[in-house]
Structures are given as structure tokens and as C-alpha cells.
Amino acid sequence: MRTTLTLRFAALAALLTAPAVAQTKWEPQKPIEIIVNAGAGGATDQLARTIQAVCLKHNLTKQPFIINIKPGAGGAEGMLEAKKASGDPHKLFIGNSGIYAIPLANKVPFNWRDLTPVAIVALDEFCLWVHGDTPYKTAKEFLDAVKAAGPNKMKMGGTAALREDQIITALIDDKAGTKFTYIPYKSGAEASVQLVGKHIDANVNNPSESISQWKAGQCRPLCIFSKERSEYKQKVAGDQSWNDVPTAKEAGYDIEYVMLRGMFLPGDVTADQTAYYVDLFKQVVSKPEWKEYLEKSALKSAFIAGKEFTDFLVKDEARHKEIMTKAGFVAQ
Amino acid sequence: MESFTYLWHGFQTALTPYNFGLMLLGITLGVLVGVLPGLGGPNGVAILLPLTYGMSLLPGGTTSAIILLSCIYWGALFGGAITSILFNIPGEAWSVATTFDGYPMAQQGRAGEALTAAFTGSFVGALFSVLLITFLAPVIANFALRFGPPAFFGVYFLTFASFSGTSRSPFSKTAAATLFGFILAAVGMDTVSGTLRLTFGFETMIGGFDFLVAVIGLFGLGEILLSMEEGLAFRGGKAKLDLAIVFKTWRDMFRHWKTLLQGCLIGAWMGVKPGGAIAASFMAYAVAKRTGKNPEEFGTGRIEGVIAPETAAHSAGASALLPMLTLGIPGSGTAAVLLGGLMMWGLQPGPTLFAEQKEFVWGLIASMYLSNVVGLIVVLATVPLFAALLRIPFAVIAPFIIVACVMGAYTVHNSMFDVWLMLIFGIIGYLCKKLDYPLAPLTLALILGDKMEDAFRQSLLGSRGSLLVFFSQPLEATLMIAGLILIAWPLVTGRRRKRIGGEGDR
Amino acid sequence: MTPSHETTTDPNRSIGQPSMATMEIGVAVFLIGFGALISQDSWKLGARWSELRGPGAGYFPFYLGIALALCGFSILIRAVRLRPKLRVRFIEWHQAVPVLTIFVPTIAFVGSIHFLGFYVASIVFVACFMRFAGRMAWWKCLTYSSLPVVFLFWLFEKRFLVPMPRGKVEALLGL
């Protein structure tokens, strides 16, 4: 779009204003926009704002961040926005497993390969939560009770339909022989309140979505759907820490599910530009404020970039396809 | 009693000269973002959030940051009413009902009166709820937990029911407008099934229609087109410009204490559950109209028509703070951003917040009291200034209103498609007014339609398809039966009126 | 919200200008068609109970569409029945001209944003409207239009960092 004339002007201006900067390293020239494809105040928004705050405090970028909330269509709107921004290195997109689940469940013309993967900055975990007043002490006790009650008698709440929460519910139904009625809500916070109000029997919220209710004794995690127990040993509720929550495998169910929290650039950006952001996020995740944020939200710390990240995406996508096809979630 | 010590302490901190200066700054900034096109509540507060973040890092700065943020929040809420009244452009969903009588008042040269009534109503409503929070916090927080999907459906049903029968348009047209609003609300991703619907294959439609885009077109642009029929004359030119109007309006408002009280109660009750402020403003308007002496005069510039929705919306806005703090569920877009700000400072909302962060919670409540008072004084002082806007020649102000509509529509999702959509809604709004299709039920359905549908289907999923779920619990049953009575009422009284006078077909 | 067609009392009809009845009938037919389209699309989507997803995604819209079409029929019948009473023109010529003088430039304004960017297009639109509709002096038009827009540019782009569509002029000025 830009004419050669404008390019020349820009080059001239750059030459005049910043002669000392070598031309090897790319740096953002204008505010960096972070596309958040979920509601304001939600987990993705918090992640974006933490990145913003850490960069602000440690002066990691010369340009400010703008957070662009695009919650429409369960996140699909934000995904398409990122896809449309092809070639623009001043836009970042925060991806979660919606990047495969949404295109599979609907015919949305999107594939994560339309974007440039930068880095995974954290992994989000899921727990099986029940109300604090219920007698169940282990996942087995609860799921046996669900099985005994018969199909469609117990209600599982979760965020949105045909997404991670419903996928985990399908995995539970498959491994435990239960049959939950899945009720989708707009957000994890809503699902959490509905559980406390006893309008549903269980949910599979992220730790951060229910931590406060756990502290107050209103709900309780029975197991965590992760390969190993959480790394956080600090007491959270009473004498319990995240580390005390058994994995689903320990409880006798071979169910594993973690969700990526990854940063993406739009497609068609240069290797220099990607490298700049990989380096930036490497710095972000090493700061104490970031670690504090991870612990507070009980996110699994992780930093995966480059080819490893692409491999992760390919594998994760194939797994989603398999589970969703089996559960009948894939659009015909 | 311990909490009052904290509250008292909060007052003391807030009243230092530095913090008092911050309050004035916050209110002014808030009003500015509330008035500017395309910033509105959520966007505006989000933009100003980093400002408070830097501040909270200073020693003892958290309280100052809270004060600044809550002042911005109130300022934005006050500011939203200004554009609704002056230009018929609602900035937030709950300002829609304010336009019904506020804009006609401005056209009659009574903008100062309408603005004063709106601001004072907001102040009274908010104060009522903050008082309620101060004394009854635990009770209210627990009440919010009782709302499952059937109860939510009951609340929305009651809101629609209170509006039924209040329209002066023919029934078939009112019904058509309502249905049209519901259909528009259904477009896009469906929460319950997770599938896309009614997009007809257009990629740009998957996000659905944002009510703000529709409302800017239907009300703002539609009104410009309609007033152009009379040429370039503008009807608000005679607006009075002195502060005496404030005191005169206050005198008048005493006579409407009943409307104020209704607004406070409806707002406080509805605000406890998420999204309550929108339903509250519409419901309070409808109730004021039904219980008023001259219901047919509503919509032509009755002051109660401004007082009721503003009082209810702000009463709800303040009481929504409680579920936000204790349940982590924000009642509105603006509150959601506020919540994001609190979390950025390391405060985890939830049931334990009141126990763990006493100083913060009571500091916030104290600053809510004070910023509300300071806010009222600041905005009342600006009444003549804003009323003066209407004195600008129409040939100058009209293109700027259109520029504002375009900006407002664009910034909702940063998309040009929304701007074109806004233009189409402008034509629809114009046609609706010409052909006597009511806009109020259309917007109400557009704003609440998908929430109501979600609640309905979530209920049916839970009950395996049985409709009895809406009557199985006392709370749900009360809501539903009250709604049914409201719907049946005009059928009974309307038939009688028809027998006596007969409204006659046009 | 006063129904304005009652105030227009001129019973004469001229060719080429739609009457109230024609408009009523036109909108009613549109509603019937629109309702039918919505119902048809919703039916394809699944308007019945499904084991996996409960009431299907098309359940609500399907009935909404049918009800809308029924309302359309009722409005149509009423309009046809009341046709003699509705002979009033939908809009008078002297009213239509000013409506178009603002609507057509608005469309041109929005269309030109794609090329000129929001700010330049706004200045052009506001200035031209003041000049041609308000018949104000050129220098006034240009001052009144550019000063507020430059202020908005400063506020939104520089202070609040809210990006509006930009054109080539901003780039040329290096802003």
C-alpha cells in the first residue's frame, strides 16, 4: 500500500532521527496491540495486562501496549482479526486451545498456520471442582456417585460450548463411564458462581477461576487434569496447597489436558521481528512479577518457542481433532 | 463495628488535599471519556487504567489509585447520560431508556433540567446502593448466589413483561419490532451450542451485531435524518444557561420522590445479578410509566422518564459492585475493566476479599461515597456548558454528530463494517419512526435477547426439556407469575378502555 | 416519537412519491420475507431437541422467524384494509431534499474513509456540509472543521492510543 515515496520519506526520517541505531535489529516503531479474544477481566485479559505491566515496570519496550478486546463469536472474531493483520509486526494475538477447537466445531476459515507462533508463556491447568458441602473426598467417590445416579442426572457447568471444558467433560464421560449434562456459561467466573449456588453439580474450571471460592470453602478440587501435580506448595485453602491436589491418573482416570497460553504474530512477518518478540517474552517470563502472577493464578510455568512450539501445536491439534471427532463435536 | 473503623479510616485518607485533587481530576477525565464518541465507559476506563497502575506502585499509592479509578468510573457513568440527552446517542446500554424522555426535553429547550434530573437521580440511586452495601453486604452477596438459569430467565421475562402494553404503536408493529430485535440478537456465535448461526456465510457477521452499533444508528443517526425533515433548524436553541435551573429542578424533583424511590429499589435489587443495570433501567422506566398519572405523556419529555432509568441504572451500577468484589462477576463492561484493574494490583476478587483485604474494600467503599458527591458537584457545574452545545447552529453540529456516530461505531470493534452497519441501522431507525414501529422494544430485545435465550436453553438443558423448571422454586415462580400478571393487566384494562373510548385505527 | 404521518395532511398524490400505504405494504412484505428466510436458515441449523446440545441453535430463531412473518401478515392486512386512509405521502418533497442532503454526503464520507483516512475525510465532510448546506463562508468552514478534528487526532492517536483508520496524508506528514 505504501508508495516508494513514503518509504523513502520514512527511511530519510529514520536516518535523521536515529543514526546511531544499527540496522540489524528490528524494533517496534509504534504501539504494540495485543488482541484479546475473550471478555474484559477474564483470564486472557489478565495475561495481557500482566505482560503490559511487566514491560512497563522494567522498561522492556520503547513502545506502549494497547489491549484490544475482541470477545465476539467465542473468540473467533479475534482470531480472524489476527489473521487479517497479516504482515503487521505491531499486533500480537494470545492463543489458547480455541485456535483448533473453534475451526473444528464451526466452519470458521482459520488455521493457526495463518499466524506466526512466537512463544508459549504459560500452560493453564484444569481441575474437577465440586461444592464444598458435598461429601465427596476423591474423584472416584464423586464419579461413582454420578454413574450410580444414571445418565443426564448430574450437571457439569463450563465455559462455552464445544471448547476445552466440554472436551474435558467428554473425556471424563469416556473414561469414567458417566454421562453428564453439560451446561455452557459465558465465563469461568459464572460457572464458578453457579457451582457455589448449587445450580450445577461440578465444573472443570481453571485453578484461577475458582481459587477464591476454594479459599472460602465453597468449593473443592478433587483432581487436576495434568501429567504431574502442581508445582505450588504454598498453602491456599486451609492446610491444602495446589500440590496436594492429586492428578486424575493418581485418582484412577487416565485423563490429561493442559491448555497453551501462547503468543502469536500475524502471518508474513520477518524472522527478525519474530526473534524480537521471542526475546522480549523470554525477558518477561524471567521477571519476579510474572512468577508472582503465575503462582497467584496457579498457571504452569513454561516457555516454549521456535520449532518446539510448532511441534507442540501440530501434536496438540491432532489430539483435539481425535477427541472432538470421537465426541461428535466436529462440524459436518 | 470493626468495618466502620476501616470506613472511617478510608474517609480520612480520601480527604487529604492530594487525594481530593485526584478526585476532581478523575471525575473530569471520566466525564470526558463518557462524552467523547467511541470511548464510552469500558473503552475509556481501559485507556485510563495504566495511569492508575503507575500510581499504585508508589508507597501508599494503592488508595490513591482506587480513588482515581472509582472517580473515573463515576465520571464515565455520569458522562454517558449527557450524549443520550443532548444528541439521542446512548453511550451504554442502560442509557438507552434515558433518551426516551431526555432527548425530547432537550429539544424543548429543557436540556438543563433533563441533565440535572439525570445527574441527581444517578447520585441518589448510587448513594442508596452504597449505603445498602455498607450495611448489608453479606446478605446481598448471598442473594446473588440464588440466581440459576431459570431465575435469570425470570428476571428478563419480568423486564419484557413490564414493558408490554406500554407502547402506543399498534400491537402487530410492537410485536414485529420486538421479534426483529430478538432475531438480530441471535446472529453470530451461539453460547449454548457453540455453533454459528444466521450469518449466511458472511465472515464479518460471526461476531453478531453489537448493540452499541445498532443503537448509535437507530437513535443517533436516525434522529438526525428525522430532524433534517424540518430543514436545518435545531429545536434545542432556547436552552437556559444558568445554574439556577439546577435548584429549580431540585424543587420539582421532590414531587417525584416516588419515582426516585422506585428507581432505587428496582436498581438495587436487579443490580445484584450480572447485567442487572440494563434490565433495571428499562424496568424502572416502564414501572414509572405504568404508575404515573399520565402514562401517555411519557416519551414526550416527562422528567420522571429521565429520573427513573438513571436512578435505577446507577443504583444497579453501585450494587453490582458487590457481586463483582465477592463473586468476581462484573455487572457491566465498565465494571469488568475496573475488575481487571483491581486484579492488576494483585487483588483477587472472591468471597474472601472482604475478610482478607478489609482496608482495600472499605477504602473503595469510602471513595465511592466521596467520589459520588464530588462527581455530582462537578457535573452539575458543567450543565450550562453542555446545554450551550445545543446553541451551536445545526449546520455546524449536525456533521459533527455524524462524525461522532462514525467514530462511535468504528471503535466498538475497530471495524469499518460496523460503520456501514450503523448507516443501515440509521435508515431502519428513520423508517421505524416514520411508520410508527416502536424502537424501545426493539433495542430491549436486541440488548437482552441473547441473554434471555441463553438462560432459557440452559434451564431446559438442566431440566431435560421440562418447562416446569420455571415454576419449581419460590424465587423463579414469583418472577414468572409477576411477569404473567403484568402481561395480562393491559389486556384486561385495555379492553375496558377500548369499550369506553376506542383508540381508533389510524 | 410522534407518528409524523398524521401531521402531514396534504391528500394529493403525485406520481413517483410513495404513499404511506405503499411504504407500509412494502415493509410488511419485507418482514414476511425476512421472517421466512430466518426460519428456513434456522431449520437447516437444527430447530429441534438434540441429545448433545439440548434445544438446537435454530430452536429460538425458527419460531421468531415464523412469528415475525405472522406479524408481517397482520400489518399487511391492516395496511391494505386502511389503504384509503393512508393516501398521505410518506415524505414531502421539501422534506426529502434536506434528508438526502445529509444522508448522501454521509455515505460519501464513510466511503472516502477507505481512501482518505478518518481524519482527512472528516475535515472534508464537515467543511463541505457547512459550506453547501449551511452556506457559511469558506474560511469559517475550514476553521470550524479542522480545529476540532485536529484536537480529536491529538487526543485519540497521541494521548489515548485509540487508532482510527488512517490514510496517506497522515503518513506523508509523518504523524
Side-chain angles (χ1 to χ4, degrees):
Chain A
M1 296 272 247
R2 303 272 181 274
T3 59
T4 44
L5 186 70
T6 359
L7 272 176
R8 255 179 241 160
F9 262 105
L12 193 68
L15 211 68
L16 286 174
T17 50
V21 174
Q23 61 271 44
T24 44
K25 213 166 171 198
W26 182 86
E27 275 203 53
Q29 302 301 314
K30 53 181 197 176
I32 305 156
E33 186 182 317
I34 303 182
I35 301 169
V36 169
N37 69 342
T44 313
D45 187 26
Q46 274 186 65
L47 183 89
R49 287 184 200 280
T50 309
I51 290 175
Q52 185 186 29
V54 170
C55 289
L56 192 74
K57 181 157 184 212
H58 295 277
N59 239 337
L60 297 181
T61 51
K62 289 201 180 66
Q63 294 290 342
F65 284 95
I66 304 175
I67 291 171
N68 182 5
I69 308 265
K70 286 247 178 196
E77 203 194 354
M79 284 162 30
L80 292 176
E81 171 87 6
K83 177 182 168 182
K84 255 195 308 198
S86 180
D88 181 353
H90 295 96
K91 277 202 172 133
L92 286 166
F93 171 76
I94 303 182
N96 55 28
S97 52
I99 56 171
Y100 353 97
I102 295 175
L104 281 170
N106 291 288
K107 283 177 222 144
V108 177
F110 177 87
N111 187 308
W112 59 268
R113 290 169 188 84
D114 297 333
L115 307 180
T116 313
V118 177
I120 286 183
V121 290
L123 291 170
D124 215 340
E125 317 209 55
F126 294 84
C127 293
L128 177 65
W129 298 88
V130 291
H131 195 282
D133 294 350
T134 52
Y136 315 114
K137 290 275 170 275
T138 64
K140 188 154 178 35
E141 274 175 42
F142 174 62
L143 292 174
D144 282 347
V146 174
K147 209 167 159 183
N152 293 321
K153 285 284 179 262
M154 300 286 237
K155 286 177 256 179
M156 172 77 86
T159 312
L162 313 184
R163 296 281 296 277
E164 52 280 0
D165 286 8
Q166 198 169 2
I167 289 172
I168 296 172
T169 309
L171 286 173
I172 296 174
D173 280 346
D174 185 42
K175 299 281 184 208
T178 51
K179 179 94 190 68
F180 278 102
T181 295
Y182 179 81
I183 302 184
Y185 293 97
K186 278 238 155 68
S187 68
E190 217 176 301
S192 169
V193 172
Q194 291 289 318
L195 179 63
V196 175
K198 299 188 185 172
H199 304 288
I200 49 179
D201 299 293
N203 68 34
V204 284
N205 269 354
N206 303 129
S208 64
E209 289 166 338
S210 288
I211 181 168
S212 185
Q213 283 77 11
W214 185 26
K215 273 187 194 167
Q218 293 172 329
C219 65
R220 190 166 58 228
L222 294 178
C223 68
I224 190 163
F225 299 101
S226 197
K227 199 192 268 167
E228 66 266 341
R229 289 190 177 199
S230 163
E231 61 207 275
Y232 304 110
K233 291 187 178 152
Q234 184 124 23
K235 301 278 172 272
V236 176
D239 57 347
Q240 296 272 300
S241 73
W242 287 114
N243 186 253
D244 295 323
V245 181
T247 64
K249 198 154 193 179
E250 287 173 54
Y253 304 98
D254 187 16
I255 305 167
E256 215 188 292
Y257 192 93
V258 287
M259 182 166 82
L260 76 151
R261 295 270 182 204
M263 309 301 295
F264 293 79
L265 277 165
D268 282 331
V269 290
T270 66
D272 259 10
Q273 291 160 345
T274 316
Y276 170 83
Y277 286 105
V278 171
D279 188 50
L280 175 69
F281 290 121
K282 204 180 252 162
Q283 290 181 60
V284 169
V285 299
S286 70
K287 300 292 178 216
E289 289 81 8
W290 180 261
K291 300 213 165 103
E292 204 180 295
Y293 159 73
L294 289 184
E295 169 142 25
K296 203 180 68 202
S297 322
L299 286 162
K300 208 179 165 104
S301 59
F303 186 81
I304 306 170
K307 190 173 175 307
E308 268 179 88
F309 187 12
T310 320
D311 291 346
F312 176 97
L313 288 166
V314 172
K315 228 173 90 188
D316 209 26
E317 184 187 36
R319 175 148 186 259
H320 276 84
K321 193 164 190 176
E322 188 197 315
I323 302 170
M324 289 178 70
T325 312
K326 197 170 164 197
F329 294 172
V330 177
Q332 265 76 52
Chain B
M1 274 307 108
E2 191 199 0
S3 29
F4 289 103
T5 323
Y6 283 106
L7 187 62
W8 182 241
H9 184 70
F11 277 124
Q12 281 174 326
T13 330
L15 279 174
T16 58
Y18 171 68
N19 286 336
F20 193 75
L22 280 182
M23 268 188 211
L24 293 178
L25 177 74
I27 293 283
T28 317
L29 280 175
V31 172
L32 188 71
V33 298
V35 170
L36 280 174
L39 288 184
N43 279 338
V45 177
I47 289 162
L48 299 176
L49 205 57
L51 202 76
T52 62
Y53 185 71
M55 196 184 280
S56 69
L57 294 175
L58 300 168
T62 320
T63 322
S64 304
I66 299 167
I67 291 172
L68 184 63
L69 198 62
S70 70
C71 283
I72 293 171
Y73 179 70
W74 286 122
L77 293 188
F78 278 127
I82 297 173
T83 48
S84 308
I85 290 171
L86 296 184
F87 305 119
N88 210 26
I89 307 176
E92 288 244 28
W94 56 72
S95 301
V96 172
T98 312
T99 63
F100 299 161
D101 278 272
Y103 182 68
M105 279 178 83
Q107 282 187 313
Q108 293 155 15
R110 292 157 66 207
E113 214 179 310
L115 286 172
T116 309
F119 294 151
T120 317
S122 317
F123 168 76
V124 173
L127 192 68
F128 179 85
S129 283
V130 180
L131 278 169
L132 217 61
I133 293 180
T134 313
F135 294 100
L136 293 173
V139 183
I140 302 175
N142 281 334
F143 179 64
L145 285 178
R146 293 180 46 192
F147 282 84
F152 274 112
F153 179 77
V155 167
Y156 297 132
F157 179 70
L158 187 62
T159 311
F160 275 95
S162 67
F163 242 74
S164 77
T166 62
S167 166
R168 280 170 304 145
S169 313
F171 173 76
S172 51
K173 288 189 176 175
T174 310
T178 316
L179 292 165
F180 192 67
F182 267 116
I183 289 173
L184 292 184
V187 175
M189 175 79 75
D190 164 37
T191 317
V192 177
S193 69
T195 48
L196 292 172
R197 57 183 182 177
L198 305 181
T199 60
F200 298 99
F202 290 103
E203 210 176 278
T204 36
M205 270 166 67
I206 63 165
F209 296 109
D210 194 282
F211 81 89
L212 262 180
V213 175
V215 157
I216 292 170
L218 289 172
F219 288 80
L221 185 62
E223 191 54 44
I224 286 275
L225 294 179
L226 207 65
S227 44
M228 281 304 280
E229 282 194 352
E230 259 118 271
L232 279 170
F234 200 41
R235 282 164 286 179
K238 302 181 295 294
K240 283 206 191 69
L241 292 186
D242 56 280
L243 273 173
I245 193 83
V246 171
F247 300 102
K248 200 194 137 286
T249 313
W250 278 358
R251 260 207 315 279
D252 282 356
M253 283 182 76
F254 275 113
R255 280 192 283 126
H256 303 302
W257 63 271
K258 238 174 63 187
T259 312
L260 272 171
L261 190 66
Q262 277 169 358
C264 286
L265 292 173
I266 293 175
W269 187 78
M270 300 281 279
V272 171
K273 43 163 234 43
I278 306 164
S281 66
F282 277 98
M283 199 191 265
Y285 182 84
V287 170
K289 186 171 180 177
R290 276 162 174 264
T291 58
K293 278 196 209 85
N294 305 305
E296 63 284 347
E297 275 179 24
F298 272 76
T300 62
R302 294 283 298 188
I303 196 165
E304 299 103 300
V306 177
I307 298 173
E310 280 293 312
T311 313
H314 288 243
S315 173
S319 73
L321 224 64
L322 198 65
M324 182 187 101
L325 293 174
T326 60
L327 305 174
I329 295 190
S332 71
T334 315
V337 178
L338 196 65
L339 183 71
L342 301 184
M343 291 198 284
M344 239 170 71
W345 306 336
L347 294 158
Q348 184 75 38
T352 49
L353 187 72
F354 267 76
E356 285 174 1
Q357 303 274 357
K358 283 205 175 75
E359 204 161 336
F360 158 74
V361 171
W362 292 105
L364 178 68
I365 293 177
S367 66
M368 284 282 164
Y369 276 109
L370 291 171
S371 55
N372 206 11
V373 176
V374 176
L376 181 72
I377 296 167
V378 171
V379 289
L380 283 180
T382 61
V383 164
L385 183 75
F386 284 113
L389 278 179
L390 293 181
R391 284 200 170 175
I392 300 173
F394 195 56
V396 176
I397 202 87
F400 276 112
I401 294 178
I402 288 181
V403 168
C405 288
V406 169
M407 260 186 130
Y410 179 81
T411 43
V412 172
H413 289 144
N414 293 330
S415 110
M416 275 309 284
F417 177 74
D418 281 345
V419 178
W420 290 110
L421 211 58
M422 186 272 295
L423 290 187
I424 294 169
F425 276 111
I427 301 173
I428 295 176
Y430 175 71
L431 285 179
C432 281
K433 289 218 171 134
K434 292 287 279 183
L435 295 172
D436 198 19
Y437 286 81
L439 285 181
L442 197 165
T443 20
L444 187 62
L446 177 61
I447 294 169
L448 293 182
D450 60 333
K451 295 192 179 81
M452 187 168 169
E453 189 196 342
D454 284 352
F456 182 73
R457 285 167 56 200
Q458 283 162 351
S459 309
L460 285 193
L461 260 177
S463 74
R464 310 301 301 161
S466 161
L467 286 170
L468 284 176
V469 69
F470 297 112
F471 296 93
S472 59
Q473 300 282 324
L475 176 67
E476 285 85 339
T478 319
L479 288 167
M480 292 301 291
I481 291 167
L484 290 173
I485 292 173
L486 277 176
I487 289 180
W489 197 248
L491 295 179
V492 179
T493 54
R495 190 153 294 162
R496 199 171 53 212
R497 202 182 304 153
K498 209 164 199 171
R499 220 179 294 135
I500 302 163
E503 53 154 22
D505 273 316
R506 275 189 277 271
Chain C
M1 277 214 236
T2 36
S4 48
H5 57 276
E6 280 185 333
T7 54
T8 337
T9 41
D10 184 17
N12 300 326
R13 283 177 61 194
S14 67
I15 299 152
Q17 273 182 275
S19 73
M20 217 66 206
T22 320
M23 284 305 283
E24 288 275 6
I25 291 169
V27 171
V29 169
F30 166 79
L31 289 178
I32 296 169
F34 186 69
L37 179 72
I38 295 295
S39 290
Q40 189 248 350
D41 194 62
S42 304
W43 187 256
K44 276 195 297 191
L45 209 61
R48 276 161 299 183
W49 180 274
S50 97
E51 204 39 50
L52 180 67
R53 297 167 188 194
Y59 183 85
F60 240 43
F62 175 72
Y63 291 103
L64 291 174
I66 288 184
L68 185 68
L70 288 177
C71 285
F73 268 118
S74 150
I75 295 167
L76 181 69
I77 291 166
R78 191 169 162 277
V80 171
R81 202 158 49 89
L82 292 175
R83 219 172 166 169
K85 275 198 198 171
L86 292 172
R87 292 227 163 170
V88 198
R89 273 185 225 148
F90 175 70
I91 189 166
E92 293 296 324
W93 191 237
H94 67 88
Q95 294 174 325
V97 172
V99 172
L100 290 177
T101 46
I102 195 147
F103 195 66
V104 174
T106 301
I107 292 176
F109 163 48
V110 174
S112 68
I113 291 176
H114 290 283
F115 309 103
L116 298 176
F118 172 77
Y119 295 101
V120 177
S122 296
I123 294 180
V124 172
F125 167 69
V126 175
C128 288
F129 187 84
M130 287 180 190
R131 174 69 195 156
F132 296 112
R135 301 195 190 289
M136 294 162 68
W138 265 118
W139 69 271
K140 269 191 185 173
C141 300
L142 284 175
T143 324
Y144 289 174
S145 62
S146 45
L147 285 183
V149 174
V150 168
F151 172 72
L152 281 179
F153 179 82
W154 172 77
L155 198 66
F156 278 76
E157 301 279 329
K158 299 291 162 201
R159 292 263 64 87
F160 289 160
L161 303 174
V162 175
M164 293 296 290
R166 287 172 164 216
K168 287 185 181 144
V169 178
E170 287 95 341
L172 271 176
L173 290 174
L175 288 168

